[in-house]
Amino acid sequence: MIPATRRDSPAADRHGAGHAPCHHGEILQGVFLDAAGRRCAGLVTLPMGGPGSRAAFTRRPGTPPERLGVRPGDRTKAARAAALAVEECSRRCGEPPCGGELRLSGDIPVGLGMGSSTSDVIAAVRAVADSYGMRLPAAAVARLAVRAELACDPLMLDTRPVLFAQREGRVLEVLGHRLPPLVVVGCALGGGAPVDTLSLPARALDDHDVRAFERLRVLLRRAVATGDAALLGRVATASARRGQRLLRHPEFDALVGIAGRLEAVGVQIAHSGAVAGLLLDAAAPGLRHRIRGCVRALESEGIPVTRTFTTFPAPPGCSAPPGRADRADRPDLPNVPTTKESPSGPAHRGGHRPTGPDTPRRPARLPAL
């Protein structure tokens, strides 16, 4: 049966697909100075492979642009991003904007600070672009993402560590080629309950705060340049402590204590959620023993363990079996982040860097992370 939206369309429907990853919270977040000396909110995220958002967009040429539906219906930011992407792509192609249908699916838990909404938005933009047979530059994707949700994570970029102005959608600094080799033992604070970041009180930052963040930026730049996992851990821990001035997770001191007892290089948290991680130097001896120790210590403190992953690619042919949240038994086969964005749809094949599509997004069971 031909859908009603297609009867008045002189052209065939066009289909596109898009995908976007998530992250595991931040290594560093604060207020920094841009090249012009202006203050900017900025962050450095910790990439994580595995969960992500997928989008399928059916473009219906000849229909009014306001006839753009989304499923599930609560993904309003993604719907707004799709409408903006249609406007952008039609302008680039010299075609009139039209309506369509956006379907989203994904397995990123909500409220943990893993970039679930940005992942939805970027997947939607990529799916729309793919339906036009094009691939938008990362800067254009970032601009549309900020317009759709006011602030976004740098998930449209590759996994090079960057200081990203999330409210402006621009890179303040590329810190280097890759993060030092780390193993991250992930966990969820607050029992994994979603964090309503809009309800958090705003904290005024003065020149002293900005100088402190700039010092951490310098140290992180040095850690990336030299591959110094211990120095990165110091930066992440200092940033996490500052984040606790607002988040106030009751388990944070226990997390830091575990890191000290088991010789982790530091801790990291999502500054807008509950996900956190113990950072271990992947080159240090006794890694398996320390991973197991971290898992046991977290469990003894009642802190749910989620996923163990690394900041470096797995050896060729190695991949983690699905369904394993804890890789303590095989740290050489972790769930690793991709080094490039996964291809999505015909227009994305060759270089870009999930359950039912009608299921409303909800906090996932923690082991599924």
Side-chain angles (χ1 to χ4, degrees), residues 45-322:
T45 55
L46 178 62
M48 185 185 80
S53 294
R54 291 194 178 96
F57 184 70
T58 301
R59 180 166 62 94
R60 300 197 168 101
T63 61
E66 61 271 16
R67 291 175 67 176
L68 197 156
V70 61
R71 299 180 66 184
D74 61 347
R75 310 293 176 85
T76 55
K77 293 178 181 178
R80 192 156 55 242
L84 292 169
V86 166
E87 183 181 306
E88 176 79 13
C89 294
S90 62
R91 180 185 61 79
R92 289 173 179 251
C93 290
E95 299 180 9
C98 64
E101 181 74 22
L102 176 68
R103 285 175 171 262
L104 292 158
S105 61
D107 55 1
I108 306 174
V110 175
L112 296 189
M114 298 174 68
S116 59
S117 62
T118 295
S119 187
D120 274 356
V121 162
I122 294 172
V125 170
R126 287 178 170 165
V128 170
D130 192 50
S131 76
Y132 281 87
M134 68 171 59
R135 180 173 145 192
L136 293 174
V141 176
R143 175 171 50 82
L144 295 175
V146 170
R147 288 179 64 191
E149 59 171 344
L150 302 181
C152 70
D153 297 311
L155 299 176
M156 73 295 296
L157 305 173
D158 60 28
T159 54
R160 287 180 301 169
V162 300
L163 180 63
F164 186 76
Q166 69 270 28
R167 295 175 188 168
E168 303 175 24
R170 64 188 177 103
V171 175
L172 298 177
E173 180 182 356
V174 177
L175 296 168
H177 183 59
R178 62 172 62 91
L179 292 174
L182 297 167
V183 172
V184 183
V185 180
C187 60
L189 306 181
V195 173
D196 181 6
T197 54
L198 296 178
S199 68
L200 296 176
R203 180 176 173 269
L205 298 177
D206 57 23
D207 290 342
H208 174 77
D209 293 305
V210 175
R211 286 193 295 271
F213 286 125
E214 282 293 325
R215 285 194 294 271
L216 292 177
R217 174 184 184 173
V218 170
L219 293 176
L220 183 55
R221 184 191 302 136
R222 184 186 308 163
V224 172
T226 60
D228 191 333
L231 183 56
L232 182 146
R234 282 172 48 199
V235 171
T237 303
S239 180
R241 285 191 185 281
R242 284 184 163 271
Q244 288 311 294
R245 297 176 184 179
L246 286 180
L247 295 173
R248 302 185 184 280
H249 292 301
E251 312 98 326
F252 181 73
D253 288 340
L255 187 70
V256 174
I258 293 170
R261 293 198 307 274
L262 296 172
E263 300 180 22
V265 297
V267 302
Q268 62 88 210
I269 64 169
H271 289 69
S272 60
V275 75
L278 294 166
L279 306 177
L280 303 175
D281 184 348
L287 183 61
R288 284 185 175 86
H289 174 73
R290 280 208 296 279
I291 292 174
R292 294 190 184 99
C294 287
V295 171
R296 286 194 295 267
L298 289 168
E299 290 174 344
S300 70
E301 293 284 351
I303 302 174
V305 179
T306 54
R307 168 178 291 197
T308 299
F309 63 99
T310 76
T311 61
F312 53 88
C318 291
S319 60

Side-chain angles (χ1 to χ4, degrees), residues 315-330:
C318 291
S319 60
R324 287 290 294 171
D326 171 16
R327 300 299 300 151
D329 58 330
R330 290 294 305 279

Side-chain angles (χ1 to χ4, degrees), residues 14-74:
R14 311 289 174 82
H15 303 281
H19 173 266
C22 69
H23 60 76
H24 199 265
E26 286 75 37
I27 297 170
L28 175 62
Q29 180 165 348
V31 175
F32 305 89
L33 301 178
D34 67 7
R38 186 174 61 89
R39 289 186 182 184
C40 293
L43 51 79
V44 181
T45 55
L46 178 62
M48 185 185 80
S53 294
R54 291 194 178 96
F57 184 70
T58 301
R59 180 166 62 94
R60 300 197 168 101
T63 61
E66 61 271 16
R67 291 175 67 176
L68 197 156
V70 61
R71 299 180 66 184
D74 61 347

